[in-house]
Amino acid sequence: MVVRGYGRDLIAGIVLTTLLVPQGMAYAELAGLPAITGLYTSILCLLAYAIVGPSKVLVLGPDSSLGPMIAAVILPIVASGGDPGRAVALASMLALLVGVMMTVAAVAKLGFVADLLSHPTQLGYVNGLAVTILIGQLPKLFGFSVDGDGLFAEAAGFVRGVANGETVPAALAVGGLGLLVILLLGRFAPRVPGILLVVVGAILAVPAFGLTERGVQVIGALPRGFPPFTLPSASWADLGLLAVGALGITLVSVTDTISTASAFAARTGQEVHGNREMLGIGAANLSAAFFQGFPVSTSGSRTAVAFRAGARTKLTGLVGAAAITLLLVLAPGLLRNLPQPVLAAVVIAASLSLADVPGMRRLWRQRRVEFALAAAAFLGVALLGVLPGIGVAVGLSALNVFRRAWWPYRTVLGRPDGINGYHDVRDFPGAAAVPGMTIFRFDAPLIFANARTFREEVRALARAEPKPRWIVVAAEPITDIDTTAADMLEELDEELNAAGISLVFAELKSPVREKIDRYKLTRTIDPAHFYPTVEDAVSSLREDVR
């Protein structure tokens, strides 16, 4: 009965392994590390998340979106042609820092940090990342390498290499055919394990067609056995750059994980626990750090594959970890003939799945401002690099929030014929104004950034003809008033009183009214000029006129 109950998870674990092995090695090389570290990382993060992580179906591991970020941190430190051992040590330290940051953030209940990347800026960042990965892997697909720092330098180096005849035809043939098969099967037969078929076919093709003699590079024999326990190490001089990189990786990893967890929670009936997810990712990174691993994240594509294959419990991840371990212990030479161009094809296929061009088109149609944010995030990655690009994306998200608070929507309300209540005169141009009163709505918290905007709008209303006796602020959208805005209101009320105009508030929330009392604004604003509804304010003015 137990075997039957967990049978689907066992099968899903085997299916998942066929994806974990080639992608783990490919993403390790994308990060500038030996392919074997991708398998070490996959084993440890799967084990740790199965123990600590809350989701039953999420699959963690090396990720295409993190690979360029890891490379951007460690490769400048190691320098071109540097010691691979030092690169692994730095990557492990990076994983340790990410794990510590994740754990601290989880304990401090900082799961909301995922909101620092808005969808438009995340979309632009990911599209920029997809292009960066694609350009970086093209030389490997064509069988040669380039020295270039940045997207345009790498693109120029690739074009020069092709023009100078550096392409290895056999490498392009095996890599290009592998990429074509992966994409076609992913498009027309998604249940068929395209990556597995390509990997197996390429391994068999190397000796059959003498591809190594034709210039095709292979990964070679992998070390035998379980990954060794290793303490991460880095110099004090390198820790600063590693910490900055770890912060960016942490943000991207949390965002990816929570979005993926939310998508699959609806299918499994689970709730998303952001802080517990961060604790699980933190444990996965800490475990990988001590076994020559590198930072990991949740993979939406691998989770989807496992879920379609029947994964419903954490047994799937444990089976995947056990299968990879058995491969390294019993048959490490099985993958020695895997061509490097095929690994490039796996990464390129992943980069193409990252890109979301329809999403950019949708933003263009729906909201040009947010399209501009996405485009700026894309250019940040393309022009400045992966790590600065994430900084640009976060900065743009914050600026967009600030922009909305700085210049919020504001309008005047009137009463349309045949409709109850008071409504936006832009939507109802014929809405009647209340004699002697202007009703003003300001759709944002009243804070230092928009206090001047509020004051100037009210001053303009006070200068209108006929001059109002009351300016009523329909304050339901105002969720906060800070001290700068409070000082502005005090000065504005005195200025309006001198002109024979009263500043009146309607529909003010209780917490905001409490702040007004705390600021002692009722020294100038009449305490009687606070009404529960706009209708009450209108009725009061009419009685006052009588």
Side-chain angles (χ1 to χ4, degrees):
M1 183 69 69
V2 174
V3 173
R4 190 181 304 118
Y6 288 107
R8 292 191 306 174
D9 291 288
L10 290 170
I11 294 172
I14 299 300
V15 172
L16 180 63
T17 304
T18 65
L19 197 61
L20 288 170
V21 171
Q23 284 193 344
M25 292 189 296
Y27 297 160
E29 294 201 341
L30 177 62
L33 300 166
I36 186 63
T37 60
L39 301 185
Y40 291 165
T41 301
S42 298
I43 294 170
L44 271 302
C45 73
L46 289 171
L47 290 174
Y49 188 81
I51 297 171
V52 180
S55 174
K56 295 180 180 179
V57 297
L58 287 190
V59 177
L60 267 66
D63 189 66
S64 58
S65 63
L66 297 189
M69 300 181 72
I70 297 168
V73 177
I74 66 175
L75 292 186
I77 300 175
V78 175
S80 178
D83 178 15
R86 188 179 180 216
V88 172
L90 291 172
S92 297
M93 178 58 74
L94 192 60
L96 180 63
L97 292 173
V98 171
V100 170
M101 289 181 183
M102 287 282 190
T103 304
V104 170
V107 172
K109 300 187 183 303
L110 299 179
F112 64 86
V113 297
D115 299 332
L116 290 177
L117 275 177
S118 67
H119 177 68
T121 51
Q122 188 177 0
L123 186 63
Y125 170 77
V126 168
N127 280 328
L129 198 61
V131 173
T132 300
I133 294 171
L134 174 64
I135 297 300
Q137 291 296 306
L138 282 177
K140 188 175 175 180
L141 185 73
F142 278 62
F144 62 92
S145 60
V146 299
D147 285 329
D149 185 14
L151 178 65
F152 294 103
E154 290 183 347
F158 169 69
V159 172
R160 281 195 303 270
V162 173
N164 293 336
E166 297 180 26
T167 301
V168 177
L172 179 58
V174 70
L177 180 61
L179 177 61
L180 183 63
V181 171
I182 292 171
L183 294 178
L184 288 177
L185 289 178
R187 175 68 175 84
F188 298 107
R191 291 186 177 273
V192 176
I195 293 178
L196 175 63
L197 292 179
V198 167
V199 167
V200 172
I203 290 174
L204 295 176
V206 168
F209 296 99
L211 295 184
T212 53
E213 289 77 15
R214 297 173 183 269
V216 177
Q217 299 291 320
V218 296
I219 67 169
L222 299 176
R224 180 184 294 272
F226 194 78
F229 178 83
T230 309
L231 289 174
S233 61
S235 68
W236 287 106
D238 297 332
L239 281 177
L241 180 58
L242 290 172
V244 171
L247 187 61
I249 290 171
T250 299
L251 179 59
V252 171
S253 183
V254 169
T255 303
D256 283 349
T257 298
I258 291 180
S259 61
T260 304
S262 300
F264 283 91
R267 306 185 193 182
T268 60
Q270 287 186 277
E271 293 184 7
V272 177
H273 303 281
N275 294 310
R276 288 180 60 193
E277 287 294 353
M278 286 199 299
L279 198 62
I281 311 169
N285 278 280
L286 289 172
S287 299
F290 291 103
F291 291 89
Q292 298 186 14
F294 52 85
V296 298
S297 180
T298 301
S299 170
S301 62
R302 291 193 291 273
T303 301
V305 167
F307 189 81
R308 286 198 302 265
R312 295 298 182 271
T313 73
K314 295 180 179 181
L315 179 62
T316 299
L318 293 174
V319 170
I324 298 173
T325 302
L326 289 175
L327 173 68
L328 292 178
V329 172
L330 302 179
L334 197 62
L335 301 170
R336 67 177 180 273
N337 284 331
L338 179 57
Q340 291 283 1
V342 170
L343 289 182
V346 171
V347 175
I348 290 173
S351 74
L352 295 176
S353 68
L354 278 177
D356 188 358
V357 177
M360 295 290 284
R361 287 200 299 264
R362 185 173 62 253
L363 283 181
W364 173 262
R365 292 193 306 268
Q366 294 176 349
R367 191 161 185 173
R368 299 290 173 85
V369 171
E370 295 200 346
F371 173 84
L373 290 173
F378 173 87
L379 292 174
V381 176
L383 298 176
L384 303 177
V386 176
L387 282 180
I390 188 68
V392 168
V394 172
L396 288 174
S397 295
L399 284 175
N400 190 34
V401 173
F402 189 70
R403 176 189 65 83
R404 292 177 182 177
W406 195 353
W407 296 305
Y409 185 79
R410 56 262 188 204
T411 189
V412 171
L413 306 183
R415 184 155 201 164
D417 291 335
I419 300 178
N420 291 330
Y422 295 86
H423 302 277
D424 192 337
V425 296
R426 297 175 186 174
D427 296 330
F428 301 92
V434 178
M437 175 185 290
T438 298
I439 305 172
F440 174 58
R441 195 183 74 204
F442 191 80
D443 291 357
L446 197 50
I447 58 175
F448 70 95
N450 57 34
R452 185 182 63 82
T453 300
F454 180 92
R455 182 185 61 204
E456 296 308 314
E457 291 280 348
V458 172
R459 281 176 172 173
L461 296 174
R463 291 193 296 267
E465 292 294 339
K467 186 175 77 171
R469 291 184 58 193
W470 283 12
I471 294 179
V472 177
V473 180
E476 195 273 338
I478 299 177
T479 56
D480 191 19
I481 296 177
D482 69 6
T483 56
T484 301
D487 292 341
M488 176 275 297
L489 288 175
E490 185 172 17
E491 295 172 2
L492 179 63
D493 185 62
E494 291 175 347
E495 179 182 321
L496 293 175
N497 289 341
I501 302 172
S502 295
L503 184 62
V504 178
F505 290 86
E507 302 176 352
L508 197 65
K509 292 179 170 61
S510 297
V512 182
R513 175 58 198 272
E514 290 171 3
K515 290 182 181 179
I516 284 181
D517 292 338
R518 194 182 314 143
Y519 299 149
K520 302 189 183 305
L521 283 177
T522 49
R523 291 176 304 185
T524 56
I525 301 175
D526 189 340
H529 284 169
F530 291 89
Y531 294 92
T533 67
V534 172
E535 289 281 5
D536 290 330
V538 171
S539 299
S540 180
L541 177 63
R542 286 173 177 166
E543 292 175 2
D544 188 51
V545 170
R546 285 200 213 100

